[in-house]
Amino acid sequence: MPFPKIQWQNLPAIALLSLPDLLPEWDRLNAERADLPFMTSAAVSSALQVFGSGAERLLVGREAGTVVAMLLLVPTGSFQWRTFQPSQLPLGVWVAAKELTPTSIARSLMRGPLGFCLGFSITQVDPLLAPREIDQADSKHIDYIDTGWIDIVGTFDDYWNARGKNLRQNMRKQRNKLATEGTHIHMRMWTAPEDMADAITRYGVLESSGWKASEGTAIHPDNPQGQFYIQLLKNAAKNGGAAVYEYFFNDKTVALNLCIQRSETLVVLKTTYDESIKNYSPAFLLSQDKIEQVFGQGTIKRIEYYGRMMEWHTRWTESKRTLYHLTCYRWSWLKKLAERRHKKKEDAYALTATNDANTPSIVPPVSESNS
């Protein structure tokens, strides 16, 4: 298969911030595929500033002088590269013209600007943006996670009546009980740039009171995560693209959703709730009210979760798809070698798990191997 005739420019990643003509090119290519709100030049620049190590590179590909692909890359070992992938971004950081496939981009990079490159990976690819291809002698696709979404079609009543009976009854009972107790429940939506920093502060206070505090992963306005989300939401809010949903029991904040929106898509980035509340589900109450509001407004056509699909997601939607990783190898024998090494590691893990559990089988249960 011939490689696409792309002329590549290999730049320090900071060039995306310092060369102003590159930012509109990035946004143009993002808009060409899906116009994702977390893949705008502003969002990517914020992630690079906060989470970048300085080793990142910006690869700019042109055909006949027109920019057709831009990727942020990081080295991952001897002669290996992958897309920039901070955990706060749902997908690997790249944009490209619609006709270019991830495999063709990877092959062109490996045989060109990356020099002697043995392996190159594009991480966490959404099949809606780039349909999964068939594995070739030099390429391999690996499942990452299932993720869910909600299509905003018809009326909220239609959608709600299609939910499970247990969910509908549970929500109704909770609302009736709260009303009986005299608790006023309500939701507020914050969209202005000046509201974002305070919203992140309240989010951090709530999240820090839960299990994430003990793991050190809670958002705080002074830590890198907090700084990133403040920048992201402020920049999005300048173009009407930020939406923070906050839920109250009387005057007390009990749940928050951090969201960004663009081109009729609302992406739920983060959710937290007051874990000290045992008899109610504030995050579910917030979700119900938020989805009802989205149906009523009529501007959003799709709610995306872009996180691993959990049991609770299935109560809100049956729709799911599988994100994937793509790795291309310089030679087909390298792929075979990598597969053999991976198989050895899997076998060693399975044998260790078997010995620890003192069971006759060397294969972990499906629920564990797919977790």
Side-chain angles (χ1 to χ4, degrees):
M1 180 182 295
F3 302 122
K5 296 178 181 179
I6 301 176
Q7 302 299 313
W8 290 100
Q9 191 176 14
N10 189 336
L11 303 168
I14 195 68
L16 185 63
L17 311 178
S18 59
L19 299 178
D21 59 315
L22 293 181
L23 297 177
E25 295 286 4
W26 185 285
D27 287 330
R28 175 182 60 80
L29 290 173
N30 179 43
E32 190 171 320
R33 290 216 180 212
D35 209 11
L36 294 172
F38 55 80
M39 203 61 74
T40 64
S41 61
V44 168
S45 297
S46 295
L48 187 61
Q49 288 175 310
V50 176
F51 303 115
S53 67
E56 295 81 12
R57 304 294 296 182
L58 172 66
L59 277 295
V60 181
R62 293 180 173 85
E63 288 183 344
T66 299
V67 176
V68 294
M70 301 176 77
L71 303 91
L72 285 179
L73 305 183
V74 294
T76 58
S78 299
F79 313 113
Q80 298 176 67
W81 293 81
R82 67 164 171 81
T83 44
F84 179 53
Q85 184 66 78
S87 61
Q88 291 75 15
L89 291 181
L91 306 177
V93 181
W94 63 282
V95 289
K98 276 180 130 180
E99 64 270 14
L100 294 179
T101 67
T103 304
S104 66
I105 293 170
R107 287 172 174 156
S108 179
L109 284 168
M110 292 178 65
R111 300 287 178 171
L114 296 183
F116 186 66
C117 178
L118 297 178
F120 175 74
S121 297
I122 299 180
T123 55
Q124 299 177 205
V125 184
D126 186 346
L128 283 183
L129 275 67
R132 186 165 175 162
E133 301 170 84
I134 298 173
D135 287 351
Q136 302 294 326
D138 65 340
S139 66
K140 186 174 183 63
H141 298 75
I142 301 174
D143 289 351
Y144 171 50
I145 59 170
D146 288 339
T147 188
W149 77 93
I150 299 172
D151 287 318
I152 309 302
V153 179
T155 67
F156 176 75
D157 287 343
D158 293 336
Y159 165 81
W160 190 241
N161 288 332
R163 299 306 95 216
K165 181 180 179 181
N166 288 343
L167 175 65
R168 289 182 284 118
Q169 288 183 343
N170 191 22
M171 292 295 94
R172 183 170 64 250
K173 288 178 181 178
Q174 289 192 36
R175 292 178 186 279
N176 290 340
K177 187 176 180 182
L178 286 163
T180 300
E181 293 174 351
T183 302
H184 175 51
I185 57 174
H186 59 289
M187 182 181 74
R188 289 198 66 179
M189 178 181 177
W190 307 96
T191 59
E194 60 269 20
D195 294 327
M196 296 301 115
D198 287 344
I200 293 297
T201 298
R202 294 192 298 277
Y203 187 101
V205 168
L206 206 56
E207 191 172 61
S208 296
S209 66
W211 63 271
K212 287 191 176 182
S214 62
E215 295 194 353
T217 58
I219 288 178
H220 187 279
D222 295 329
N223 69 17
Q225 275 212 98
Q227 294 165 15
F228 168 69
Y229 284 112
I230 289 173
Q231 287 185 31
L232 176 68
L233 291 168
K234 275 189 173 180
N235 287 332
K238 292 174 183 176
N239 298 306
V244 176
Y245 297 88
E246 186 168 7
Y247 213 69
F248 297 87
F249 284 5
N250 295 323
D251 295 326
K252 180 183 179 182
T253 299
V254 294
L256 282 123
N257 273 186
L258 306 183
C259 306
I260 48 178
Q261 59 189 42
R262 193 177 179 91
S263 298
E264 301 183 337
T265 298
L266 179 75
V267 177
V268 182
L269 296 172
K270 298 279 287 182
T271 298
T272 193
Y273 63 94
D274 188 339
E275 294 181 26
S276 68
I277 298 174
K278 303 300 182 183
N279 297 322
Y280 301 103
S281 304
F284 272 35
L285 292 166
L286 169 57
S287 290
Q288 182 185 353
D289 285 5
K290 176 187 67 184
I291 294 170
E292 183 172 11
Q293 178 174 297
V294 168
F295 268 93
Q297 289 174 333
T299 55
I300 298 297
K301 303 302 181 187
R302 191 181 187 93
I303 297 175
E304 287 278 8
Y305 289 105
Y306 270 119
R308 184 183 299 277
M309 194 163 191
M310 310 295 283
E311 186 278 332
W312 68 264
H313 286 112
T314 63
R315 305 188 198 182
W316 301 99
T317 181
E318 300 84 18
S319 301
K320 67 177 181 179
R321 64 185 184 277
T322 303
L323 307 185
Y324 66 90
H325 304 302
L326 164 69
T327 298
C328 284
Y329 301 87
R330 192 172 189 88
W331 299 292
S332 58
W333 63 264
L334 275 177
K335 175 187 173 182
K336 294 178 182 177
L337 177 62
E339 289 176 335
R340 284 199 295 269
R341 287 180 173 176
H342 182 70
K343 180 68 164 55
K344 276 187 175 182
K345 288 181 180 179
E346 283 189 332
D347 289 346
Y349 167 79
L351 184 59
T352 301
T354 299
N355 291 337
D356 289 346
N358 194 25
T359 62
S361 172
I362 65 170
V363 181
V366 172
S367 60
E368 293 180 16
S369 60
N370 290 340
S371 62

